[in-house]
Amino acid sequence: MTTATADIALIGLAVMGKNLIMNMNDHGFTVCAFNRTVSKVDEFLQNEAKGTNIIGATSLADMVSKLKRPRRVMLLVKAGSAVDDFINNLTALMEPGDIIIDGGNSDFNDSTRRCKELAAKGFLYVGTGVSGGEDGARYGPSLMPGGNPEAWPHIKDIFQSIAAKSEGEPCCDWVGSEGAGHFVKMVHNGIEYGDMQLISEAYHLLKSVCGLSNDEISAVFDEWNKSELESFLIEISRDIMKFRDTDNVHLVDKILDSASQKGTGKWTGKTGLDMGIPITLIVEAVFARCLSSFKDERVKASLLLQGPKPKSENVANPLEHHKKLIDSIKLALYASKIISYAQGFMLMRATSQEYGWTLNMGGISLMWRGGCIIRSVFLGRIKKAFTTNPTLDNLLLDDFFNQEVARSQLSWREVCCTGIMNGVPMPAFSSALAFYDGYRCDKLPANLLQAQRDYFGAHTYELLDSRGQFHHTNWTGHGGTTSASTYNV
Ligand code: 2AM
């Protein structure tokens, strides 16, 4: 009979899975490795895992027999049916009280379903976001676990040990119930799309309007990385801008300007639409990638469609000459980033309320503070805002962020005008500003919208002084007085 010696089993020996196993091993846990293609277990044991305490399994039954109770099994396999198949096979071999963790990029709706299905059979399900790429998985990822809360005490030690640390605190805490972990990871990815788009728009302006060279842009990013914008994405952008290919030409200039996506930004956008939350910046970032993919059409259009073209004057020292504009671009990026996070947290708050997850907002900021792609100093500030006021309605209402936007906004407006007058597209900068102006507007033109809806579709309207009561007007003097209740526009 096999002795149960392993603390946890991990299924899925692709890059992320292998690195997480190595990380767990470094922290003193005995891990049993398994994979659909079983030959990869031996390969792993004979290579990366050689000389460690990692053990392997020859079948799922063998793997289960090697686990201490309650058994903990983590899946890092392709999202979708592979997860369901493994869950079905595992439940036939495991016992109630055992824990199944999905660390893949699963849709949070699937995780909610799995959590409920497994709870009905007595199993504890966890869906966890894992961020930080290969390096993060190996040396400290950001982990966002959610699901059945009864599982947390049994996995907390392993998870918090292997997670990245920020100021001594693990970038991992319990996120909330059901699919909350994968939901928070999805929003993280959406925000990542926004951050990347904002930096790209700054790059476009620095290059086209200020006429900076790649090395000069790298120097600007280096400066920004010593400020409130200090973050992993600014840091890598600095390094990318100065990176030269083997022929000494900047690699960035050779890369096709057509961005692809794996879908989590799109999922975030869809969830925003479903929940009625205006995450405009994330959605614009997704659409900017879509537009970029029309490369051939854009090249044709560039020859036909009229509009201003940025004039990059030939000045001796563009960094000095455009100092004021460069500083303004930085503030425009900063203010837009505040809007992006404010929108992301609005989505998390609304979804948390809708599903009764009680998401831990301060904890989420800390989980993103280190280990993941959007890690930044800025997230420390967000954590502070939620520590001061755990029920904060909107990040923009926090004193610090309110003042930061206030001090940045003139520059932000000037940058948007400059971009528009030079024909440089800035969907994220400008939609962030439109959101800000909309959010702080006590009277929007939606009264006219309601009147239009009532005029053509009898959809009714409320009056300023009698909210909650719905009225219909016969605007034309002909037509009926019956209001519409069967369809909506
Ligand atoms: P493989 O090595 O046998 O292909 C990432 O692709 C990981 O997910 C790999 O460990 C891969 O196993 C696993 N995987 C992908 N599709 C799978 C499926 N349909 N069933 C089981 N495992 C799968």
Side-chain angles (χ1 to χ4, degrees):
M1 198 185 122
T2 324
T3 37
T5 53
D7 296 304
I8 186 165
L10 195 143
I11 303 176
L13 296 181
V15 182
M16 293 296 281
K18 285 191 207 174
N19 281 315
L20 276 178
I21 296 176
M22 299 294 287
N23 185 353
M24 288 175 185
N25 175 73
D26 283 351
H27 286 88
F29 300 103
T30 304
V31 192
C32 178
F34 186 65
N35 195 64
R36 173 181 62 172
T37 311
V38 182
S39 59
K40 289 190 188 168
V41 177
D42 273 340
E43 266 170 48
F44 178 55
L45 292 179
Q46 279 158 28
N47 293 290
E48 298 98 317
K50 200 169 184 162
T52 68
N53 290 328
I54 298 164
I55 58 175
T58 52
S59 65
L60 267 190
D62 181 36
M63 182 196 85
V64 169
S65 75
K66 288 175 171 162
L67 285 168
K68 294 182 200 162
R69 286 183 170 84
R71 300 182 182 93
R72 292 168 285 208
V73 176
M74 184 160 179
L75 298 167
L76 269 148
V77 298
K78 195 163 170 244
S81 59
V83 177
D84 286 312
D85 292 347
F86 268 119
I87 289 177
N88 283 336
N89 293 334
L90 282 167
T91 50
L93 297 165
M94 293 163 75
E95 291 165 354
D98 287 345
I99 299 153
I100 298 177
I101 307 158
D102 174 18
N105 249 336
S106 293
D107 181 328
F108 78 91
N109 294 299
D110 283 340
S111 301
T112 293
R113 169 181 56 81
R114 288 168 186 147
C115 190
K116 287 179 180 163
E117 285 170 0
L118 284 172
K121 294 179 187 165
F123 294 97
L124 309 181
Y125 169 84
V126 175
T128 185
V130 180
S131 178
E134 217 175 298
D135 230 40
R138 180 68 186 86
Y139 300 107
S142 162
L143 295 173
M144 300 153 241
N148 196 323
E150 284 174 44
W152 182 229
H154 301 290
I155 61 168
K156 186 177 176 185
D157 186 28
I158 301 182
F159 269 50
Q160 293 196 333
S161 303
I162 65 165
K165 307 289 176 304
S166 170
E167 287 161 23
E169 300 262 5
C171 297
C172 170
D173 203 349
W174 187 249
V175 171
S177 30
E178 301 181 339
H182 278 129
F183 169 77
V184 167
K185 170 65 182 2
M186 178 194 78
V187 177
H188 162 283
N189 285 22
I191 289 178
E192 179 184 311
Y193 272 58
D195 277 358
M196 292 167 75
Q197 176 64 23
L198 289 173
I199 297 172
S200 300
E201 289 177 20
Y203 158 59
H204 200 168
L205 289 162
L206 292 171
K207 175 178 161 169
S208 302
V209 180
C210 305
L212 300 191
S213 68
N214 291 328
D215 288 326
E216 285 164 338
I217 295 172
S218 176
V220 169
F221 287 165
D222 189 46
E223 277 308 306
W224 292 359
N225 202 40
K226 293 172 191 151
S227 72
E228 56 275 50
L229 288 179
E230 182 186 339
S231 60
F232 171 71
L233 283 168
I234 293 278
E235 185 187 317
I236 65 163
S237 304
R238 172 198 69 194
D239 296 344
I240 289 167
M241 290 313 302
K242 65 180 176 200
F243 188 91
R244 287 169 191 267
D245 205 358
T246 41
D247 54 5
N248 209 31
V249 172
H250 284 97
L251 182 56
V252 72
D253 288 336
K254 296 186 185 179
I255 295 177
L256 179 71
D257 52 322
S258 170
S260 43
Q261 49 181 314
K262 277 196 176 166
T264 36
K266 185 173 83 180
W267 291 355
T268 316
K270 277 184 173 174
T271 310
L273 286 169
D274 287 343
M275 297 296 305
I277 300 297
I279 45 165
T280 57
L281 197 137
I282 295 174
V283 172
E284 287 292 355
V286 176
F287 283 149
R289 292 195 191 191
C290 300
L291 181 59
S292 80
S293 70
F294 287 83
K295 172 72 176 174
D296 296 336
E297 225 171 296
R298 287 190 290 110
V299 171
K300 275 188 223 149
S302 72
L303 303 171
L304 284 174
L305 302 186
Q306 294 167 29
K309 286 231 165 22
K311 341 171 229 329
S312 36
E313 312 150 57
N314 242 341
V315 292
N317 185 350
L319 276 177
E320 203 41 54
H321 184 83
H322 290 293
K323 186 171 182 330
K324 187 168 175 294
L325 179 55
I326 296 169
D327 287 345
S328 295
I329 295 171
K330 174 186 161 193
L331 289 173
L333 169 47
Y334 182 46
S336 305
K337 183 167 165 142
I338 293 173
I339 301 300
S340 179
Y341 284 68
Q343 292 180 344
F345 277 87
M346 277 172 84
L347 178 61
M348 291 198 285
R349 183 168 180 266
T351 314
S352 176
Q353 282 169 355
E354 170 81 10
Y355 295 118
W357 287 342
T358 55
L359 284 183
N360 169 5
M361 300 300 185
I364 291 165
S365 332
L366 186 63
M367 279 173 250
W368 293 350
R369 173 75 183 81
C372 61
I373 306 296
I374 62 170
R375 63 182 178 262
S376 66
V377 165
F378 181 79
L379 279 157
R381 280 293 184 173
I382 299 182
K383 166 86 175 84
K384 231 181 204 171
F386 283 108
T387 306
T388 312
N389 180 3
T391 58
L392 186 64
D393 279 336
N394 190 303
L395 214 50
L396 290 169
L397 302 176
D398 170 72
D399 283 348
F400 174 79
F401 288 109
N402 177 0
Q403 282 157 26
E404 290 299 89
V405 175
R407 87 174 163 90
S408 310
Q409 71 173 287
L410 183 58
S411 303
W412 185 18
R413 291 179 194 282
E414 282 169 0
V415 167
C416 286
C417 293
T418 303
I420 288 167
M421 294 317 289
N422 280 279
V424 175
M426 302 163 307
F429 277 12
S430 56
S431 68
L433 184 54
F435 172 88
Y436 180 67
D437 284 336
Y439 187 68
R440 66 183 192 86
C441 187
D442 69 334
K443 198 142 195 285
L444 285 168
N447 47 339
L448 175 58
L449 282 173
Q450 278 304 95
Q452 289 167 335
R453 296 179 71 237
D454 190 56
Y455 187 114
F456 66 70
H459 291 298
T460 75
Y461 53 82
E462 290 170 277
L463 290 170
L464 281 168
D465 57 8
S466 62
R467 287 167 73 168
Q469 289 175 32
F470 294 85
H471 306 272
H472 169 58
T473 292
N474 184 346
W475 296 86
T476 56
H478 50 81
T481 49
T482 317
S483 56
S485 57
T486 49
Y487 72 95
N488 284 306
V489 174

